[in-house]
Amino acid sequence: FTPVCPTEPKQCRVCPTGTYTQYCSAAFAGICTVCLQNCDTGKYRKNCNSNSAGECAKCTNSDIGNYYTGDGGLSDNCPTTPCPNCGIGFYRKGCAGISPGSCSACTNAPPNAKYVGHGGVSNECPYVAKCEPDTCGASQYLSGCTTKLAGTCKACANDCPIGEYRQGCIGTSEGSCVACTNGPSNIVYTSNGGFQNNCYFTAKCLDTCGVGKYRTGCSYVNPGKCVSCTNAKPANTDYTGSGGTSNQCPISEAKCPQDCGEGKYRSGCDINNAGSCSTCLTDCGVGKFRSGCGGTSPGICLACTNSKPSNAAYSGSGGLSNSCPSAAVCPDCGSGQFRFGCNVNDRGTCKACAADCGKGKFRKGCEGVSEGVCVDCTNNLPKGYEYTGSGGLVDNCPSSKAVSCPTNCGEGMYRSGCDANNPGTCIACATDCG
């Protein structure tokens, strides 16, 4: 028997997922065969469908930091596991694909650094500065330590303000200033604490009691209270401030009222007596004045400085103001002379005193700047005598015995030659006047 092959191919069997059609021919629709899942680790069977058994292909689902630990079956989803961590200072090198890699020493740290962890899968191990503060002494810390520099030991600074101390100055830290808390409730700190919570302190006794009072009963735990001062003070004084924490309020100087008015001052004022008003003295002398007289001061004599003309000098006191009067400076010309034309701007010139006062008179007071005046002589004149001339500049007119001449010459005549020894004669008056 010879079989007759069909001339038309049959339709291949359609197989479900996970299988493929095998042995499909013109005479046979084939059978469904399960896709093989026998690929190596890190691979999966790709394209197993229809009438193909597929082929093994590399999985692509792994991320960095993982590696494949099995095959993916029929999908690109191979099982993975994280790359194992290495010890401090190491990283996992070559962990990828199906290899877990191996631990290798990190080399990324600077010279003065030490590793403090692993690098994962990269040469990037975390590190910190390799600081060795244990080499520093007491009250010191390691300063300037970096990953590149070893740093130096420095003394902890004892520079905190009053009421604070330096805390935490150790290792590589310089520490910081923090408030002291070692004092009781009513205190004020008077120093810093250095490196310990041990600031010096004293009682906080506030000086807020006001004038004439002081604070009593103040202690470390009690602010005390204000009471009136009773310390002795003279009658003419007042308290001027607080006594602080003692019964010793400060005392004012004498209370001297400033009410005496212009030209007066208060004299005799002291801590026991208010004194009384006295008139300012004006006894400073020529060319001076009294300055500063007022309040409780009698003032002092000072030289005048007010302006005066070029040929003038102070001629009196200025009293209570810098205003001394002035007068012309006229030098004495000597005996028988006087200064003419002298004033505050010009010294003038010397002139001879005029001896022209006539019979029985003399010039009196011709000296200094005065030419004098003619006055009657008063020198001794014997009885029966008469002055016969001028005394000049002195009270000493010449005199002689008085003569009684007859007066009977008649009209148009006069008596000539009459003196003490001769009665004279009558002579006709001349008529030749032209």
Side-chain angles (χ1 to χ4, degrees):
F1 175 75
T2 302
V4 180
C5 293
T7 57
E8 295 294 332
K10 290 188 175 288
Q11 185 176 3
C12 290
R13 187 184 302 279
V14 177
C15 294
T17 301
T19 63
Y20 68 97
T21 304
Q22 191 177 24
Y23 307 126
C24 177
S25 67
F28 184 56
I31 63 174
C32 290
T33 301
V34 176
C35 295
L36 296 177
Q37 298 188 33
N38 59 349
C39 294
D40 294 335
T41 298
K43 294 183 178 182
Y44 73 102
R45 184 161 298 276
K46 181 179 180 181
N47 296 327
C48 179
N49 55 42
S50 187
N51 58 356
S52 173
E55 70 279 351
C56 288
K58 289 183 179 181
C59 282
T60 61
N61 63 292
S62 178
D63 295 325
I64 295 175
N66 296 284
Y67 70 98
Y68 296 118
T69 57
D71 67 273
L74 301 180
S75 63
D76 185 6
N77 190 25
C78 293
T80 61
T81 190
C83 297
N85 289 328
C86 296
I88 293 174
F90 290 84
Y91 74 100
R92 179 133 326 245
K93 183 177 181 180
C95 180
I98 62 174
S99 173
S102 61
C103 290
S104 182
C106 283
T107 60
N108 61 297
N112 191 52
K114 63 180 180 180
Y115 295 116
V116 293
H118 60 80
V121 294
S122 64
N123 186 13
E124 292 294 336
C125 290
Y127 57 83
V128 296
K130 186 169 61 179
C131 301
E132 298 179 352
D134 291 345
T135 60
C136 296
S139 299
Q140 290 185 324
Y141 71 101
L142 186 62
S143 172
C145 179
T146 67
T147 57
K148 296 181 180 180
L149 298 173
T152 55
C153 291
K154 285 189 176 182
C156 296
N158 185 9
D159 60 353
C160 291
I162 291 174
E164 296 184 5
Y165 71 99
R166 186 166 293 278
Q167 182 184 69
C169 183
I170 190 172
T172 58
S173 172
E174 65 179 331
S176 61
C177 294
V178 297
C180 282
T181 58
N182 60 296
S185 59
N186 189 52
I187 58 94
V188 59
Y189 291 111
T190 59
S191 74
N192 69 21
F195 306 115
Q196 298 179 330
N197 184 12
N198 192 27
C199 295
Y200 289 159
F201 55 83
T202 187
K204 184 169 66 177
C205 301
L206 300 178
D207 188 8
T208 56
C209 290
V211 175
K213 295 186 177 184
Y214 73 100
R215 186 171 296 278
T216 183
C218 179
S219 69
Y220 291 141
V221 295
N222 189 343
K225 63 179 180 179
C226 295
V227 297
S228 296
C229 282
T230 58
N231 57 300
K233 64 179 182 65
N236 194 40
T237 62
D238 283 329
Y239 293 127
T240 59
S242 165
T245 57
S246 65
N247 186 14
Q248 289 296 325
C249 287
I251 298 169
S252 70
E253 295 181 354
K255 294 187 297 180
C256 300
Q258 306 291 308
D259 58 354
C260 287
E262 188 174 358
K264 294 186 177 183
Y265 72 101
R266 184 165 293 277
S267 63
C269 180
D270 57 29
I271 59 175
N272 295 306
N273 191 339
S276 59
C277 292
S278 297
T279 300
C280 296
L281 299 177
T282 56
D283 58 349
C284 288
V286 175
K288 295 184 178 183
F289 73 101
R290 185 167 294 277
S291 173
C293 182
T296 58
S297 173
I300 57 173
C301 290
L302 297 177
C304 281
T305 58
N306 59 297
S307 62
K308 59 185 186 300
S310 59
N311 189 47
Y314 293 126
S315 58
S317 167
L320 300 179
S321 65
N322 185 12
S323 57
C324 290
S326 60
V329 178
C330 301
D332 188 20
C333 288
S335 178
Q337 292 182 315
F338 73 99
R339 187 165 293 276
F340 175 75
C342 180
N343 58 50
V344 293
N345 295 308
D346 190 347
R347 289 201 172 192
T349 58
C350 290
K351 284 191 174 184
C353 296
D356 58 354
C357 288
K359 184 172 68 174
K361 295 179 181 292
F362 74 98
R363 186 166 293 279
K364 181 179 181 180
C366 183
E367 59 185 356
V369 294
S370 174
E371 62 180 333
V373 293
C374 292
V375 297
D376 291 333
C377 283
T378 60
N379 58 299
N380 184 40
L381 187 65
K383 187 176 180 181
Y385 279 68
E386 63 182 357
Y387 294 123
T388 59
S390 169
L393 301 179
V394 296
D395 186 9
N396 191 22
C397 290
S399 64
S400 64
K401 189 174 180 181
V403 177
S404 177
C405 295
T407 60
N408 56 354
C409 286
E411 187 175 356
M413 302 184 78
Y414 70 96
R415 186 168 293 280
S416 174
C418 180
D419 57 28
N421 298 310
N422 191 342
T425 59
C426 292
I427 296 177
C429 295
T431 57
D432 58 353
C433 289

